[in-house]
Amino acid sequence: MPLRPQFLVGTASWTDPTLVKSDVFYPRAVKTAEDRLRFYAEQFNTVEVDSTYYALPAERNAKLWAERTPEGFVFNIKRFALMTQHPAEISRLPKQLRGMLPADEQSNRQLTRPSKEIVDMAFQMFWSAMAPLREAGKLGIVAFQFPPYFIPKPANFDYLASLPERLPGASIAIEFRHPTWVRDETRRTETMNFLRSRGLYYTSIDAPEDSSIVPSFIEATGDQVYVRFHGKNRENWFKRNITAAERFKYLYSERELQSLAQEFGNLEQQGVKRAYAIFNNCYQNFGIMNATTMGAILRGQQQ
């Protein structure tokens, strides 16, 4: 008989400003970064780190994260912007990377066309900084979320194929933002087979339905499944000049979560050993509430 998957349920960030300010999750006595992480890790067994998208992580922070969380707690790390062909704020680049820029680019606000040498160095620095989490057994998924302009073309397939070599030993999950990767049945099959053949995990999402949004479905391309729940706030999804918390502001009902949990039901038949449910509906305590409910539902299914 196949073993039941281990379910890890948590939120995208434990420090979202609207959550910290809401005063409905953290006790008033919990005020420092250390205390917030310790308190969060008492409630959940995993979290997704969002700050590493905006700036390369420091090894010191990874060491502190490992020290401040109990055994068995798992961090899923968003890769740095340059690693997924997003622009990066030059002011937030490490001195070593800024020094590699041509003089006429160092005063720019963003780096949009980095050299291969800079991208390679970003990969090396990122992976080196993860050493404390790797050594502590607390590094879960490295989450690669590609921009909408990352489309199915040979150069992008080649880029995806290069990731395991650049991050040796990493569990890498791929989230596409352009629906052509998976909307057509033939293309979806091709994409999933490609990910399987390269040892990459597909990031499944739950999001509003629209022709411009990647459709919602759970797919296993290996022995781990990574699902990000973005909420179904279709109206806010397309608004401009709003915060991420407002865009993903959505409180799932218990009925919705029960239905979504059923989609995890056949994972053991597919050889899945670990399944992540990450709630990105990060408005005040919405993600916290939904992660708590989903965790209880999944535990109940396993009894």
Side-chain angles (χ1 to χ4, degrees):
M1 292 289 292
L3 295 175
R4 291 179 175 178
Q6 176 193 21
F7 289 107
L8 286 86
V9 183
T11 62
S13 174
W14 69 93
T15 58
D16 182 82
T18 63
L19 172 63
V20 173
K21 293 177 182 177
S22 67
D23 203 27
V24 291
F25 176 59
Y26 292 113
R28 292 188 177 181
V30 175
K31 295 182 178 181
T32 67
E34 177 178 354
D35 289 344
R36 289 192 186 105
L37 178 54
R38 290 189 186 278
F39 180 82
Y40 175 93
E42 291 174 357
Q43 323 303 319
F44 301 100
N45 54 12
T46 194
V47 74
E48 183 182 273
V49 180
D50 183 62
S51 61
T52 47
Y53 165 77
Y54 300 99
L56 275 165
E59 185 172 341
R60 178 180 179 275
N61 285 343
K63 184 174 185 293
L64 291 174
W65 294 340
E67 292 173 351
R68 294 170 177 176
T69 49
E71 185 176 352
F73 189 86
V74 175
F75 290 88
N76 307 297
I77 310 293
K78 270 193 174 180
R79 73 291 155 266
F80 181 50
L82 292 183
M83 297 162 63
T84 46
Q85 303 182 15
H86 286 86
E89 298 293 322
I90 290 178
S91 63
R92 303 187 71 172
L93 291 177
K95 185 181 298 184
Q96 185 174 355
L97 289 187
R98 288 202 306 271
M100 296 172 66
L101 294 173
D104 59 347
E105 289 186 26
Q106 294 187 10
S107 60
N108 292 345
R109 187 175 71 86
Q110 288 188 327
L111 177 59
T112 57
R113 296 181 179 275
S115 66
K116 179 181 182 301
E117 291 72 23
I118 287 179
V119 174
D120 288 345
M121 181 59 69
F123 270 91
Q124 293 173 28
M125 296 176 73
F126 176 91
W127 198 227
S128 176
M130 291 296 102
L133 291 179
R134 302 202 313 265
E135 292 164 3
K138 293 185 176 183
L139 179 61
I141 293 293
V142 179
F144 277 73
Q145 185 184 74
F146 285 92
Y149 47 81
F150 188 83
I151 61 173
K153 64 180 184 179
N156 289 339
F157 277 101
D158 290 343
Y159 191 84
L160 292 172
S162 75
L163 297 180
E165 184 177 355
R166 286 174 146 174
L167 301 177
S171 296
I172 299 171
I174 307 299
E175 180 175 354
F176 298 112
R177 284 297 183 90
H178 198 287
T180 54
W181 285 94
V182 296
R183 185 170 296 283
D184 174 79
E185 184 176 347
T186 301
R187 172 62 76 182
R188 180 184 298 189
T189 299
E190 178 184 352
T191 297
M192 297 305 159
N193 287 341
F194 176 84
L195 295 178
R196 288 188 184 96
S197 70
R198 298 304 192 277
L200 301 170
Y201 302 112
Y202 176 70
T203 298
S204 301
I205 68 166
D206 185 67
E209 292 185 13
D210 188 86
S211 60
S212 65
I213 301 174
V214 171
S216 302
F217 62 92
I218 295 179
E219 180 85 18
T221 60
D223 62 0
Q224 298 186 65
V225 163
Y226 198 68
V227 185
R228 304 185 77 232
F229 294 87
H230 295 302
K232 296 182 181 294
N233 193 335
R234 192 177 187 279
E235 180 182 356
N236 279 14
W237 193 277
F238 297 104
K239 283 184 178 178
R240 296 187 176 185
N241 302 318
I242 62 173
T243 65
E246 292 171 313
R247 176 164 289 108
F248 301 122
K249 176 184 176 182
Y250 186 81
L251 188 62
Y252 287 90
S253 68
E254 185 171 349
R255 179 177 296 180
E256 285 178 301
L257 294 175
Q258 288 277 5
S259 177
L260 290 165
Q262 290 178 3
E263 297 185 38
F264 286 101
N266 67 342
L267 294 181
E268 60 190 85
Q269 306 301 325
Q270 301 178 54
V272 173
K273 298 177 180 178
R274 176 180 278 185
Y276 295 88
I278 302 295
F279 284 85
N280 191 41
N281 54 328
C282 48
Y283 178 81
Q284 294 187 0
N285 68 332
F286 285 16
I288 294 289
M289 293 172 66
N290 288 145
T292 300
T293 302
M294 178 63 89
I297 292 170
L298 292 172
R299 286 192 296 273
Q301 288 182 353
Q302 292 189 311
Q303 292 177 355

